[in-house]
Amino acid sequence: MKDLEEKYHEHLLHWIWQTLHFDAGNLETTCGQPVTILEPGRLNSSGGPDFKEARLQIGDLRWHGDIEFHWSVADWRRHGHQHDSGYNQVILHVVYQNPDGKRAYRQDGSAPFLLHLRPHLPENLEELLAAFRQPDRLPCAGQLRYISREALEQQFRKAHREYFETKADALLNFYDPDLAPATAWKKVFSLGLFDGLGISLNREPMLRVGRRLYNHVLQEETFPAVEELQFLALQFGGFGSARSAARWSYKGVRPANRPKIRLQQAATLMGTIHHEPLDAWFKGTPSDRWERLLNTVDTETGIGRQRSDILYGIVYLPALWLLGTLFHIDRLKQRAFELWMNHRAQVPSTLFKLFAQSDFPPDLYKQRLGAVFQLKQYCKPRRCSQCKVLKEIISS
């Protein structure tokens, strides 16, 4: 539980305080002093107490200072604030609950006022917070009755859009401004495929081999043929006489996903991409171009429909969007994004176990790559305060 609390931290508590989503009219410290919030303070994005420059009326006196938030008083001690003089200006310690009944003490030996937040929360938010620290369920799992279908759709569309933007940004990390734009884009696309073919256990070594391969072939006068690229990829991957720093994982890896096969496939795609003239990527439909690219792979076992669907979404379409950006072709950018928003992929159902257990409508997440982003970037890290679903619960 401690590791979980550390991971999820107190961001949701900060949001509740900042937006005053609690009964602020009847606050009272544990020592019986009434509390009036005159100014909730400024959220601190650097080290130190969570809120700075707060103004509170506690009893008959007005206080100016800092506010610190924790799930319980024990977190104050666990974080070592009792030894940090930077917390000596904390005037109010707000905790979700305090099961051990103890108080926190500052470095100077004095104790800030203590406020329990839980009794002042509305029922639906209190229920969500109670589930917030349970890793085997979603905090909103028991509250779908409060959430409209429209709010769910808006959040999943938001996550789907953000996932596309994230993938485009990730591809930009492969861009080499010292190369001609056409060559630089082909390198971006190819390294994205090396990375994607390494999902999930061998992404790092696949990308390492792809980078090494590029460093080698770009020194040549002409770009090598596919057969030579395959040979070099295997050599650099440690499947030959050349020394390799690649460290492969075979645990739970299916035969079709073994590194030797994936390296040959990535090298084939890389060669095909570079031998194609750039304007070929502007012609025909994107799906036809993708299928023609996949058909050049002639390994004993193919890339596989599930993997090709994923690569189409997280590599090919963002790469096309970047191509449109580089060469100022708005219609290509628009088409790539439209295809992404409507893309359906064969995603392993095990990834969506939490959604299924929570009775989310299956059509929201099944075959939707953006649902993976929703799970990894919102649900699991408990970024509830940035999710439209929480706002729907609060307003219900």
Side-chain angles (χ1 to χ4, degrees):
M1 180 64 73
K2 287 185 178 180
D3 290 340
L4 188 63
E5 290 176 0
E6 186 70 34
K7 179 180 177 182
Y8 295 158
H9 207 56
E10 295 93 14
H11 296 307
L12 185 54
L13 298 179
H14 298 166
W15 179 82
I16 292 171
W17 179 265
Q18 199 171 28
T19 57
L20 299 178
H21 274 102
F22 56 95
D23 181 7
N26 296 287
L27 300 179
E28 190 175 272
T29 67
T30 54
C31 61
Q33 295 293 318
V35 178
T36 301
I37 301 172
L38 304 175
E39 173 56 53
R42 170 180 55 83
L43 184 61
N44 181 21
S45 58
S46 58
D50 296 321
F51 283 82
K52 309 286 286 186
E53 303 169 7
R55 293 192 301 116
L56 306 172
Q57 175 99 21
I58 303 179
D60 296 328
L61 298 177
R62 289 195 174 190
W63 296 77
H64 300 253
D66 304 333
I67 303 176
E68 180 68 4
F69 285 79
H70 290 117
W71 287 101
S72 69
V73 172
D75 292 335
W76 177 284
R77 299 186 291 274
R78 187 162 63 88
H79 296 167
H81 299 332
Q82 70 274 23
H83 305 301
D84 189 342
S85 60
Y87 289 81
N88 283 345
Q89 301 304 313
V90 171
I91 57 176
L92 185 66
H93 186 202
V94 181
V95 298
Y96 172 64
Q97 59 186 359
N98 187 26
D100 58 13
K102 296 181 180 180
R103 295 189 66 180
Y105 289 89
R106 294 178 285 226
Q107 183 264 346
D108 60 12
S110 61
F113 288 104
L114 180 62
L115 172 68
H116 291 177
L117 187 60
R118 184 175 183 176
H120 306 286
L121 296 172
E123 181 181 352
N124 51 5
L125 186 52
E126 196 278 328
E127 184 179 340
L128 184 140
L129 276 172
F132 189 74
R133 296 176 294 164
Q134 299 179 27
D136 56 348
R137 61 176 296 194
L138 298 178
C140 57
Q143 309 214 33
L144 291 185
R145 63 187 182 276
Y146 299 124
I147 307 169
S148 69
R149 169 77 187 205
E150 181 182 2
L152 291 172
E153 290 177 348
Q154 286 179 355
Q155 177 58 37
F156 275 77
R157 281 198 300 268
K158 175 187 175 186
H160 199 59
R161 181 174 61 253
E162 289 176 350
Y163 195 27
F164 183 83
E165 295 167 354
T166 298
K167 287 302 177 182
D169 287 343
L171 288 179
L172 273 177
N173 292 326
F174 303 144
Y175 188 80
D176 187 347
D178 294 329
L179 298 175
T183 304
W185 177 79
K186 291 179 178 182
K187 180 180 178 181
V188 163
F189 186 15
S190 300
L191 287 180
L193 291 171
F194 267 90
D195 177 49
L197 284 168
I199 294 173
S200 61
L201 299 176
N202 286 308
R203 297 180 72 168
E204 190 277 331
M206 283 289 293
L207 193 52
R208 179 189 292 270
V209 172
R211 290 184 186 277
R212 185 178 176 186
L213 188 56
Y214 261 101
N215 291 338
H216 178 85
V217 302
L218 289 179
Q219 298 176 19
E220 304 290 330
E221 291 186 7
T222 58
F223 206 85
V226 167
E227 292 76 13
E228 184 178 352
L229 290 172
Q230 290 178 336
F231 172 79
L232 290 171
L234 292 176
Q235 290 288 314
F236 296 156
F239 299 99
S241 58
R243 296 183 62 182
S244 173
R247 296 293 179 265
W248 303 103
S249 175
Y250 291 90
K251 185 177 181 179
V253 174
R254 295 180 295 106
N257 207 28
R258 291 188 177 274
K260 189 173 182 179
I261 293 174
R262 292 306 195 196
L263 282 173
Q264 294 178 78
Q265 294 169 348
T268 300
L269 296 173
M270 172 182 170
T272 304
I273 290 167
H274 275 270
H275 287 295
E276 284 277 2
L278 186 68
D279 62 2
W281 299 99
F282 303 130
K283 299 175 181 178
T285 65
S287 57
D288 287 343
R289 289 294 315 154
W290 176 248
E291 288 300 325
R292 284 199 290 272
L293 178 63
L294 293 181
N295 288 337
T296 64
V297 174
D298 59 358
T299 48
E300 184 176 348
T301 56
I303 288 178
R305 176 50 57 186
Q306 185 180 88
R307 183 60 57 90
S308 66
D309 282 351
I310 292 173
L311 292 177
Y312 178 84
I314 68 172
V315 179
Y316 178 57
L317 293 179
L320 283 186
W321 187 89
L322 289 176
L323 182 62
T325 300
L326 280 172
F327 293 94
H328 307 289
I329 305 174
D330 289 340
R331 59 179 174 79
L332 184 59
K333 293 173 58 178
Q334 182 179 353
R335 184 58 180 150
F337 184 71
E338 289 174 350
L339 287 169
W340 165 262
M341 292 303 292
N342 294 297
H343 181 51
R344 298 290 187 273
Q346 295 182 24
V347 183
S349 59
T350 53
L351 290 177
F352 299 138
K353 182 180 178 180
L354 285 175
F355 288 144
Q357 291 176 340
S358 304
D359 293 327
F360 273 76
D363 60 299
L364 281 179
Y365 61 87
K366 283 190 174 181
Q367 299 186 326
R368 300 288 292 183
L369 291 172
V372 178
F373 188 83
Q374 171 68 29
L375 194 63
K376 291 183 177 181
Q377 297 299 319
Y378 285 94
C379 299
K380 287 188 174 180
R382 299 307 200 248
R383 288 175 58 204
C384 301
S385 62
Q386 300 175 44
C387 181
K388 292 181 182 293
V389 172
L390 173 64
K391 294 176 176 61
E392 179 79 3
I393 293 173
I394 295 299
S395 62
S396 62

